[in-house]
Amino acid sequence: MKNLRRKTLAAASAMTLGVGLAVTGGLAPAAAAAGPDTTFLVLAPQGAKTDKAAARVAAAKGTVVASYDQIGVLVVRSTNPDFAADVAGAGVESVASTAGLGTALDEGETVEVAAADAVAASADPTKEPLFGQQWDMPMIGVPQAHAINAGSADVVVGVLDSGISSSHPDLASQIAKDKSASCLGGVVDTTESAWNPTTSDHGTHVAGTIAAAVNGVGVTGVAPGVKVAAVKVVNNDGYIFPEAAVCGFLWAAEHGMRVTNNSYYIDPWELNCRNDARQRPVWQAVQRAIRYSQSKGVLHVASAGNSNYDLAHKITDTGSPNNGTPEVREDLTSACLVLPGEAPGVVTVSAVGPTGEKSYYSSYGQGVVEVTAPGGDTRFRTQGARSTVTDGILSTTFNTATRTDGWGYKQGTSMSSPHAAGVAALALSAHPGMTPGQLSSFLQRTAEAKSCPTGVYNPVPLFPTGPNVYDSTCSGGARNSFYGAGMVSAYNVVR
């Protein structure tokens, strides 16, 4: 079984992950010497209030920096090296240190488009100058959908990511600023500078795919009539810590968002095993947050990952934690999942390239992938020739070095997921009464079925004279491991 190589977002660069979940134990005396300032997730029993847990936190020399009473989760900081043991007791179900647990953001390479091209006249049906380079939009029926319904401003899509540039000409009118916030550290900060990008343009690219305006400039989004909210969960070092993700899900739930896009993994391990005492508290906190937000009407859409890994057949995990000493975990069970993609009720999206075939990097899995969408494939060979960067996904960008807005290409399941989120937003615009479960089912029922490729699928032999590292085999019929129910269809959900 091929190892799952951790590539969270846009496919390109490697990343580092952390180790070190603390487990509850017996009450111990507080340590005399202070340790490093560490963040913990402290969970009260399911359904219980957090007051007893908060009292134990104080007694264990911790400080509550955020309280999510809706789900019984506290975000705590402490310099007590024995905090995990000291806080255990009545009112506390479990505790996890999140130190070193961030999953690094995979930026991918952004190839920018000349600014002059983004404002040139266009004869395309959307009137957007760069629409001719957006091969992804016709693939899912966006022009036909826009003729019927381009989306409602009453629908807000939460972009849980690295922030959105509020100065971008294709996005400035699209951002619900009153619903945007930073969740770094698990603590909400609603100032505009806090939720704008600082070191990453990933969230800006994702937001453009969902809702870039039809304004005669740049590109069009799948649903330009809807709004997006920046929910910043990626810190300046490019890490997604569990407490930020929990905060993001709760923020979306309490601020009227109907859809969120999640192009990341939460846990530092390749697979989060609920039966592993080190990992279970993170799973519990994240799952509580997802369930609560679903109860508030939020559908979560997530990327399948860029590891070309069969998520339905997880046998071994030998490559994680990525920034520690890797452990060999064998004979894994269905208790081991990727988060948030495999959490119940989350719509997991694989990626295809311009030919409509599975992207070389896209993870897959029978019963795991619900739908597929364009994510780009710049290594696909067609008629004996390599493709170019324009076979990636063109969207809005933000140059963090020069602090300038622009347009450019990226590829990854990070790019396929926002296509599906945009289609979900169009579906809600046309059919506003749907619950998250109904909306998920509707996306799958209206998808265009795609059959498995014949035999072993290998679009790109990166090492023509050596091992073929991207071999993968599709299984299933009309609903299969590569494409799930099929390609999302913007046209089908609004007609």
Side-chain angles (χ1 to χ4, degrees), residues 184-268:
L184 300 186
V187 181
V188 172
D189 184 347
T190 59
T191 57
E192 189 166 335
S193 60
W195 53 259
N196 261 260
T198 45
T199 59
S200 164
D201 73 339
H202 190 277
T204 299
H205 196 279
V206 165
T209 295
I210 296 169
V214 175
N215 57 0
V217 176
V219 297
T220 183
V222 175
V226 308
K227 299 295 184 182
V228 289
V231 184
K232 192 173 185 179
V233 297
V234 180
N235 71 14
N236 291 344
D237 295 322
Y239 288 90
I240 305 104
F241 286 88
E243 61 268 25
V246 168
C247 168
F249 290 131
L250 268 291
W251 178 262
E254 302 295 10
H255 290 82
M257 298 176 207
R258 298 298 311 280
V259 180
T260 70
N261 184 81
N262 304 269
S263 292
Y264 58 88
Y265 289 132
I266 292 173
D267 195 70

Side-chain angles (χ1 to χ4, degrees), residues 301-305 347-351 362-363 368-374 413 416-418 420-421 488:
V301 180
S303 55
V347 175
T348 305
V349 188
S350 65
S362 179
S363 292
V368 177
V369 169
E370 272 81 26
V371 290
T372 195
T413 55
S416 62
S417 180
V488 293

Side-chain angles (χ1 to χ4, degrees), residues 322-351:
N322 285 6
N323 71 342
T325 302
E327 299 178 14
V328 176
R329 298 194 297 172
E330 298 179 330
D331 300 321
L332 301 180
T333 70
S334 59
C336 299
L337 306 172
V338 292
L339 290 177
E342 287 192 88
V346 174
V347 175
T348 305
V349 188
S350 65

Side-chain angles (χ1 to χ4, degrees), residues 39-355:
T39 299
F40 296 85
L41 293 176
V42 176
L43 279 67
Q46 181 71 48
K49 295 181 179 180
T50 58
D51 51 349
K52 290 183 179 179
R56 294 200 66 84
V57 166
K61 299 183 178 179
T63 301
V64 174
V65 296
S67 179
Y68 296 103
D69 297 331
Q70 308 98 313
I71 59 172
V73 173
L74 301 175
V75 180
V76 175
R77 295 194 65 83
S78 178
T79 58
N80 176 6
D82 297 319
F83 176 82
D86 291 352
V87 79
V92 172
E93 180 177 316
S94 59
V95 56
S97 163
T98 67
L101 295 191
T103 301
L105 178 74
D106 186 348
E107 278 298 306
E109 179 185 3
T110 301
V111 179
E112 296 184 354
V113 173
D117 294 338
V119 295
S122 172
D124 288 306
T126 64
K127 308 301 181 185
E128 298 305 274
L130 297 177
F131 180 78
Q133 299 176 52
Q134 291 186 276
W135 57 265
D136 48 316
M137 296 300 174
M139 180 176 279
I140 62 173
V142 166
Q144 299 93 323
H146 286 186
I148 300 171
N149 192 330
S152 167
D154 292 333
V155 176
V156 179
V157 179
V159 179
L160 275 63
D161 214 294
S162 62
I164 303 174
S165 172
S166 60
S167 62
H168 200 291
D170 250 344
L171 294 172
S173 64
Q174 308 300 91
I175 302 173
K177 293 185 178 181
D178 60 329
K179 298 180 184 297
S180 296
S182 167
C183 271
L184 300 186
V187 181
V188 172
D189 184 347
T190 59
T191 57
E192 189 166 335
S193 60
W195 53 259
N196 261 260
T198 45
T199 59
S200 164
D201 73 339
H202 190 277
T204 299
H205 196 279
V206 165
T209 295
I210 296 169
V214 175
N215 57 0
V217 176
V219 297
T220 183
V222 175
V226 308
K227 299 295 184 182
V228 289
V231 184
K232 192 173 185 179
V233 297
V234 180
N235 71 14
N236 291 344
D237 295 322
Y239 288 90
I240 305 104
F241 286 88
E243 61 268 25
V246 168
C247 168
F249 290 131
L250 268 291
W251 178 262
E254 302 295 10
H255 290 82
M257 298 176 207
R258 298 298 311 280
V259 180
T260 70
N261 184 81
N262 304 269
S263 292
Y264 58 88
Y265 289 132
I266 292 173
D267 195 70
W269 298 74
E270 293 175 352
L271 301 170
N272 184 295
C273 298
R274 292 169 291 179
N275 55 356
D276 185 326
R278 299 167 298 177
Q279 297 181 298
R280 183 170 175 79
V282 169
W283 160 260
Q284 289 174 312
V286 171
Q287 181 64 5
R288 287 186 189 182
I290 290 175
R291 285 176 178 166
Y292 179 80
S293 56
Q294 289 168 339
S295 75
K296 292 292 187 177
V298 186
L299 176 70
H300 302 295
V301 180
S303 55
N306 303 329
S307 303
N308 191 40
Y309 186 70
D310 186 352
L311 298 172
H313 296 92
K314 309 181 202 66
I315 298 175
T316 61
D317 175 1
T318 60
S320 64
N322 285 6
N323 71 342
T325 302
E327 299 178 14
V328 176
R329 298 194 297 172
E330 298 179 330
D331 300 321
L332 301 180
T333 70
S334 59
C336 299
L337 306 172
V338 292
L339 290 177
E342 287 192 88
V346 174
V347 175
T348 305
V349 188
S350 65
V352 301
T355 66

